Every structure is written in structure tokens, then in C-alpha cells.
Amino acid sequence: MYFLTSQVMFYALAVVTFGTAVPAGQFVPGIMIGSTYGRLVGMFVVKYYRKLNIEEGTYALLGAASFLGGSMRMTVSLCVIMVEITNNLKLLPLIMLVLLISKAVGDAFNDGIYEEQARLRGIPLLESKPKYEMRNMIAKEACGSGR
């Protein structure tokens, strides 16, 4: 019970500090939130499917990868980080599959968390796939008026 209570408190603090202008970071809270989610799923699977030989920690790792892949759109670098954390190359295909699915689902619904934050703060951001009318623009026009 203490583990779940501390994770809820950690999640609440991560939500509060994300919008502030302090260097709080979102990578470590993302790992903690995702691993908590994965661990809860792992506890459910281990409890109801006892014949499977999978540990809850594997679900925690995959949950952290899915949360970061879906919210921050990190794929290749996150895959390397997760493999380095575990030092187990056997988990590489699972991590790659989880990252592929979470990024695809995230891209289907919205932009990444950093792009959304830049948009909310009014910071001009170049898109990876520009619209047709932006092909002949100059940088001053793309940034908008008043700058």
C-alpha cells in the first residue's frame, strides 16, 4: 500500500511541476509513472494467470517504455536506454514492439508532450512535415508578427 501511495503522490507532484518554469524534468517522473502502471498490470496478470513464467518487473519495464514512447515520442534512444538499464538483450524485441505501438497510438491522437508545451507557451516550432503553404515561406513569416 505504501508503494501505491508514494506513486500517487509522485504523479501529483509531476503534474504540478510540469507547467512551472523550473528545471524539474519529465523523464524520471515518466519512468516512475509508466513503471507503476506496468507493475499494476503485471500484478493482475501474475495473479490471474499463474501458469505464465513472467515477472512483474518485466511489465514495469515495458510500462515505463510505453509511457515514455507514447507521451514523449522517444523511440530509438529510449530503446537503447531500456536495454542498458536491464542489460538483457532478450527483452529488445518486446521493448521495440511496445515502443512502436505506443508511438503509433500517440501519433494518432495528438503531438508529443514537448510539442504541446511549446504550443501552449506560444513558442514557434517547425513541424517535421510542413504544410503546403509553408514551403515558400521565409523564417520571419513563419514566426508570426510582432517579433
Side-chain angles (χ1 to χ4, degrees), residues 42-54:
M43 289 168 59
F44 172 77
V45 169
V46 167
K47 183 176 180 182
Y48 290 105
Y49 300 103
R50 297 172 195 225
K51 294 182 181 179
L52 292 177
N53 191 16
I54 298 177

